[in-house]
Amino acid sequence: MPQDHDAANERTRLLYHVTNERRLSQLLQQQDEETRSIAELAVTKDEQHMLGSTVGERLPYNDYTTIDWLHDLVKDSYRHRYINSRKGLRYKLISIFEACSGWIAAAIVGTLTACVAFVVDVTEATVSDWKLGFCTINPLLNREACCQHKTPLLRMRSEAADGCENFKVWTGSYWGSFAIYVAWALAFGIVSSSTTMLTKRSLPAVAPSQMDKAQSQDADAPLEPLTSGKSMYMAAGSGIPEIKTILSGFVIPNFLDLKVLLVKAFGAIFAVATGMCLGKEGPFVHISTCVGYMVGMWFPKYRDNGRKLRELLSAACASGLSVAFGAPIGGVLFSYEEISTYFPRKVLWRAFLCSLFAAMVLKQLNPTGTGKLVLFETNYGTSYQPVHYAVFVVLGIAGGVFGGVFCQANFKWSKWFRVYPIIKNHPVFEIFLVVLATSVLQFPNPLTREPGDIIIKNLLVDCRSEASASTWVCQNEARNSDGSVNGAYIIWLTYGTVVKLLLTIITFGCKVPSGVIIPALDAGALFGRLLGQLIPSISPGIFAMVGAAAFLAGISRMTLSLCVIMFELTGALEYVVPHMVAILVAKWTADAISAEGVYDLAQTVLGHPFLDPDHALAIVRKRNLLVEALVPPKQTMDEITVRVPPSNCVPRAVLEQKLRLLLRRGLMDAGLVLVRDPADPTAPSASATSSVSRGSGILQGYIAEGELEFGLVRLGPLHAADAEVRLLGDAQADGEFDLSGFVDRTPLSVCAKAPLEYAVELFGKLGLRYLCVTEEGTGKLVGVVIKKRLVSFLEGLKEEDRR
């Protein structure tokens, strides 16, 4: 009876009577200096103060695993209370700095992001013009800067150099210019892609052959290191799908390093200069997040807490789009709507400050030479009429069809074309082919010969303005004597729209820094300008502007943030309502064709784990599923379950065997679940080593793989190989091999018969790392679900829907 009473107390006890911090310090004092330094590095002072709590100890996160949002929330509270409980001027100053550190970090991130963007913008404009000629005054100047006193701002750079003696074209021959254009583009593409190859990294994983071999090996064999798994080019693409994965709680190692930032910036310069259907706006978001990560490493508040770090990264994303479009408010909304899954009010304020500093610094640096943030300033001098709403709806429908078709076609293209060995193993060769096709198809068309941002600037022009009358677009839009439109010009607009669609499909996803925002705006502006030729009563530039927003909405499914970006981008606040109409119609149309936007599909193609609660609930809602559908197989549960006897101790050999099985499975964010074993306490070894059947044992706690490995590898050498390890309760003797401080004594659980929506909401809204599943009525453990298992299960349901 006393033993039963003690066991009952053990199941309900939440606090320790003996301070775990003292026990850990005793263990550290017994280690040699090298081992002690490793332990102190792995267990921070803030985490040592948490050892007396019931949330369990966490160590630095393993590669490509999940963070524990709840644990980091408690950890930040412990840090805050510890600092504020201390007396003296020093801790008062530390407390003030801690309160201001978020604002300071946000301001620094915005400033540094603007500096990087300035260098990329100026360099890209110069390099891109080398395909046409060079500035005789200074080869490092772009054509616009070289001819700023000779050539109108909106002059087509593809025209002859008449009136601009400072810019010398390579040759006056059309075919010679064509050949030089293609040669420079191919050279730029090879440089960009080859540089991107420098950021190839392999994520740790366990190969299937080794897993099979591991099952046949002796359980006492030494632990084997994990082999390399999936390879990633960290600087390739826009980076937005990976950032969404990181901000949702996962960890992608090396993705935000300084090397990736430098390669991303350098590669984006030459990738955009090729003239391919890509933009540098997506890479700017990645660059700003890299800056946010490196700045966060300067502050202990962010360096030691994954949850807090992601708050700073969300704010940093806003500055990336702010410098890309000169749209500080749109950047904040973009981070909130499109990228972040966790965006509390304080993150909104800091994102606002970060975006503000980025815009202020960029305006002073003045990369465009206009002294303004607005990139494509428009002033049409006319307003739309109610009858034009029908045209805006048509533009929205066209944008939705374009977006839906693009998402599906790009997804299928990636699954088909990029699996060929020659393309998969030689990404530079794919860039060579894409650049060649792009140059050959775009150069003959004067509308698409330019970089993407210049295309938009030329298509938004108002031909009623005297300053724009000499541009190529306005000259071709001049009506013939009979009132008809130039037929060749209509053909070029149609040709440009189709080519942009096709080239963007095959370009997005190539192994160079690239974004999809500018190509979508280009295609929409071309189609809008084409449609505007049928409506002579109003400037066609208005329809080009609204069409650009509609096409981007169809691809990305952005709404509020896109509307704000467009009026910040053009300064045309009067046309907010047409933008709203077209954007909403485009989103509805695109959703009817493809439920997921381009970034969601890119995450699927790249194989990144991501949990979007809204999309997940939409998938689960179609089926009548219960949480028990997520319960792992019996063999898996046998491997991860430890039955703890009333003595609260199990043999060390059992834990080492369990750890070995975890490592061989390759799930680095898994762990062991502890259940109460009611067996005879005189035979703890037998009870601890016996297999557990599904539904047996009352849940007692959970110890993650990282903590278990640290305890056995770093602290374990202090004890004999046959030592008993305490997992629950309080230590009774000094120097006892005690890992109870690493056990989460209050793991969250849900009933197996609960609707599956419960699990989706718990993982999505609370940011859980794992969730225990218990039997209805008895409370016995039946399974443990980690976040990756839920994501994999939802991906399977999604594949069923696609079929």
Side-chain angles (χ1 to χ4, degrees):
M1 287 296 293
Q3 292 176 347
D4 294 340
H5 179 69
D6 292 341
N9 290 338
E10 181 59 46
R11 285 193 293 270
T12 59
R13 187 181 298 125
L14 295 179
L15 298 176
Y16 298 102
H17 296 297
V18 179
T19 306
N20 286 288
E21 180 181 356
R22 185 184 67 185
R23 280 184 280 153
L24 181 60
S25 63
Q26 291 174 348
L27 291 173
L28 294 177
Q29 290 174 2
Q30 297 177 38
Q31 301 178 80
D32 59 12
E33 186 172 342
E34 179 181 1
T35 307
R36 188 186 307 116
S37 64
I38 296 174
E40 290 175 350
L41 179 64
V43 185
T44 64
K45 292 182 179 179
D46 298 322
E47 291 173 329
Q48 292 178 23
H49 284 288
M50 296 182 60
L51 290 179
S53 72
T54 59
V55 296
E57 181 60 36
R58 297 289 187 274
L59 300 182
Y61 304 108
N62 291 315
D63 289 347
Y64 213 56
T65 182
T66 54
I67 70 168
D68 195 323
W69 294 85
L70 289 180
H71 173 267
D72 285 343
L73 173 65
V74 178
K75 180 179 177 180
D76 185 59
S77 298
Y78 269 82
R79 176 182 177 82
H80 181 75
R81 287 199 296 267
Y82 173 76
I83 293 175
N84 287 276
S85 64
R86 299 288 177 151
K87 305 297 183 182
L89 178 61
R90 174 192 173 189
Y91 286 98
K92 181 65 175 177
L93 295 176
I94 292 177
S95 178
I96 296 174
F97 177 76
E98 284 287 315
C100 300
S101 60
W103 303 100
I104 297 173
I108 295 175
V109 170
T111 302
L112 295 179
T113 300
C115 294
V116 177
F118 169 77
V119 174
V120 173
D121 284 339
V122 173
T123 308
E124 181 273 323
T126 300
V127 172
S128 180
D129 281 335
W130 287 349
K131 294 181 299 183
L132 303 174
F134 65 96
C135 182
T136 57
I137 300 175
N138 184 354
L140 298 181
L141 290 179
N142 63 4
R143 178 169 182 169
E144 192 169 286
C146 190
C147 306
Q148 58 183 344
H149 300 298
K150 298 292 184 180
T151 307
L153 179 63
L154 293 175
R155 174 184 170 90
M156 293 287 292
R157 283 189 266 172
S158 56
E159 297 178 25
D162 302 5
C164 181
E165 64 278 5
N166 296 331
F167 189 85
K168 180 177 178 59
V169 297
W170 297 112
T171 177
S173 168
Y174 174 83
W175 292 107
S177 299
F178 193 178
I180 294 174
Y181 183 95
V182 173
W184 275 109
L186 290 173
F188 293 158
I190 293 174
V191 169
S192 178
S193 184
S194 299
T195 306
T196 305
M197 297 300 101
L198 300 176
T199 60
K200 183 177 182 180
R201 296 289 185 275
S202 296
L203 301 182
V206 175
S209 59
Q210 287 189 322
M211 293 177 64
D212 298 336
K213 179 181 177 181
Q215 294 180 358
S216 63
Q217 286 181 337
D218 183 9
D220 296 329
L223 296 178
E224 298 178 359
L226 298 178
T227 60
S228 297
K230 182 179 71 174
S231 296
M232 286 179 55
Y233 296 95
M234 299 296 177
S238 68
I240 292 179
E242 290 84 357
I243 293 171
K244 291 182 66 174
T245 298
I246 291 173
L247 294 184
S248 69
F250 288 91
V251 177
I252 301 180
N254 307 120
F255 186 74
L256 302 177
D257 291 350
L258 175 62
K259 179 180 178 180
V260 176
L261 185 154
L262 297 176
V263 172
K264 192 87 173 187
F266 182 83
I269 292 172
F270 288 93
V272 176
T274 62
M276 286 192 295
C277 292
L278 49 82
K280 56 182 180 292
E281 289 67 29
F284 273 166
V285 176
H286 186 185
I287 289 171
S288 65
T289 310
C290 291
V291 174
Y293 174 79
M294 289 184 290
V295 172
M297 293 300 101
W298 301 347
F299 297 84
K301 177 180 180 179
Y302 298 108
R303 181 176 61 244
D304 302 327
N305 194 300
R307 180 190 181 109
K308 300 296 294 182
L309 178 61
R310 276 152 182 77
E311 294 179 1
L312 181 62
L313 297 183
S314 294
C317 290
S319 67
L321 207 70
S322 175
V323 298
F325 286 125
I329 300 176
V332 176
L333 295 177
F334 176 79
S335 179
Y336 167 75
E337 180 180 4
E338 184 63 27
I339 297 184
S340 302
T341 55
Y342 174 71
F343 207 84
R345 187 176 301 176
K346 61 181 177 181
V347 175
L348 175 67
W349 297 336
R350 288 169 184 168
F352 190 82
L353 178 70
C354 186
S355 188
L356 171 64
F357 265 79
M360 289 170 55
V361 174
L362 189 68
K363 186 178 185 299
Q364 289 302 117
L365 294 174
N366 193 21
T368 61
T370 63
K372 299 179 180 179
L373 275 178
V374 179
L375 293 183
F376 312 129
E377 187 173 10
T378 58
N379 185 14
Y380 296 110
T382 58
S383 183
Y384 54 91
Q385 302 299 324
V387 67
H388 296 134
Y389 283 120
V391 183
F392 300 143
V393 171
V394 172
L395 287 172
I397 294 174
V401 172
F402 171 87
V405 171
F406 170 83
C407 291
Q408 290 295 321
N410 179 256
F411 179 78
K412 293 179 180 179
W413 173 265
S414 300
K415 289 289 189 180
W416 171 71
F417 182 71
R418 294 190 177 114
V419 299
Y420 286 108
I422 190 173
I423 300 299
K424 182 178 181 180
N425 300 326
H426 302 89
V428 178
F429 179 66
E430 180 188 6
I431 296 300
F432 179 88
L433 296 178
V434 172
V435 173
L436 182 62
T438 301
S439 302
V440 170
L441 291 175
Q442 290 193 158
F443 183 86
N445 187 350
L447 288 169
T448 59
R449 195 177 300 170
E450 306 293 329
D453 54 344
I454 303 300
I455 293 175
I456 299 174
K457 182 183 292 186
N458 291 327
L459 291 171
L460 297 186
V461 66
D462 181 16
C463 293
R464 303 183 183 189
S465 170
E466 294 183 3
S468 306
S470 61
T471 62
W472 189 90
V473 170
C474 292
Q475 289 176 354
N476 283 271
E477 283 189 352
R479 300 278 172 169
N480 299 325
S481 57
D482 59 355
S484 62
V485 184
N486 187 344
Y489 177 64
I490 298 297
I491 293 175
W492 285 130
L493 285 172
T494 306
Y495 174 80
T497 303
V498 175
V499 166
K500 277 292 179 183
L501 172 60
L502 296 177
L503 291 179
T504 305
I505 289 173
I506 67 174
T507 302
F508 186 71
C510 289
K511 298 302 184 289
V512 290
S514 61
V516 74
I517 295 178
I518 285 294
L521 293 177
D522 287 343
L526 285 164
F527 181 80
R529 196 89 192 188
L530 174 63
L531 189 62
Q533 305 305 308
L534 306 177
I535 310 169
S537 62
I538 190 173
S539 174
I542 295 175
F543 301 112
M545 178 176 59
V546 176
F551 276 50
L552 180 54
I555 287 179
S556 66
R557 315 300 162 85
M558 293 188 294
T559 53
L560 177 62
S561 60
L562 177 56
C563 188
V564 174
I565 288 172
M566 289 306 299
F567 80 70
E568 286 189 293
L569 190 63
T570 61
L573 185 59
E574 181 182 0
Y575 301 98
V576 169
V577 173
H579 280 128
M580 294 175 67
V581 172
I583 288 171
L584 279 178
V585 173
K587 175 176 171 54
W588 292 336
T589 305
D591 284 342
I593 300 174
S594 172
E596 296 178 293
V598 62
Y599 298 126
D600 297 321
L601 288 174
Q603 285 178 312
T604 302
V605 172
L606 296 171
H608 298 316
F610 178 72
L611 177 62
D612 186 337
D614 294 332
H615 288 170
L617 286 175
I619 296 173
V620 172
R621 194 174 290 121
K622 302 176 183 178
R623 301 166 173 84
N624 186 23
L625 297 175
L626 302 178
V627 176
E628 62 184 2
L630 299 174
V631 174
K634 180 180 182 300
Q635 179 181 355
T636 300
M637 288 305 302
D638 289 343
E639 293 178 358
I640 67 173
T641 304
V642 177
R643 303 182 69 181
V644 183
S647 65
N648 297 323
C649 296
V650 298
R652 174 178 170 176
V654 172
L655 296 180
E656 290 180 344
Q657 179 185 4
K658 298 286 186 181
L659 175 61
R660 188 176 294 108
L661 294 174
L662 287 177
L663 293 174
R664 288 170 180 169
R665 289 175 60 206
L667 296 176
M668 292 165 289
D669 55 356
L672 300 180
V673 62
L674 312 182
V675 298
R676 175 60 65 191
D677 182 10
D680 183 0
T682 60
S685 299
S687 63
T689 56
S690 60
S691 297
V692 61
S693 61
R694 182 176 298 181
S696 66
I698 302 297
L699 177 64
Q700 295 292 297
Y702 185 91
I703 180 169
E705 178 183 323
E707 291 90 310
L708 180 61
E709 184 176 11
F710 172 79
L712 295 178
V713 176
R714 304 303 182 192
L715 303 181
L718 298 175
H719 304 275
D722 58 350
E724 293 282 318
V725 181
R726 179 174 295 277
L727 295 176
L728 299 173
D730 301 324
Q732 302 297 323
D734 292 338
E736 183 181 18
F737 194 0
D738 184 14
L739 297 183
S740 60
F742 296 97
V743 175
D744 185 348
R745 300 285 294 277
T746 57
L748 292 182
S749 61
V750 65
C751 177
K753 297 299 182 181
L756 186 57
E757 289 86 341
Y758 279 28
V760 172
E761 282 288 281
L762 287 172
F763 275 105
K765 298 300 177 60
L766 297 181
L768 300 183
R769 204 176 187 184
Y770 62 91
L771 180 65
C772 297
V773 183
T774 58
E775 188 178 53
E776 184 180 22
T778 64
K780 293 182 179 180
L781 179 75
V782 296
V784 178
V785 181
I786 61 175
K787 194 173 184 178
K788 287 181 182 178
R789 178 176 292 276
L790 175 62
V791 172
S792 177
F793 182 80
L794 293 174
E795 284 295 330
L797 298 181
K798 195 184 301 182
E799 287 295 330
E800 292 180 5
D801 292 341
R802 291 196 183 105
R803 292 194 293 267

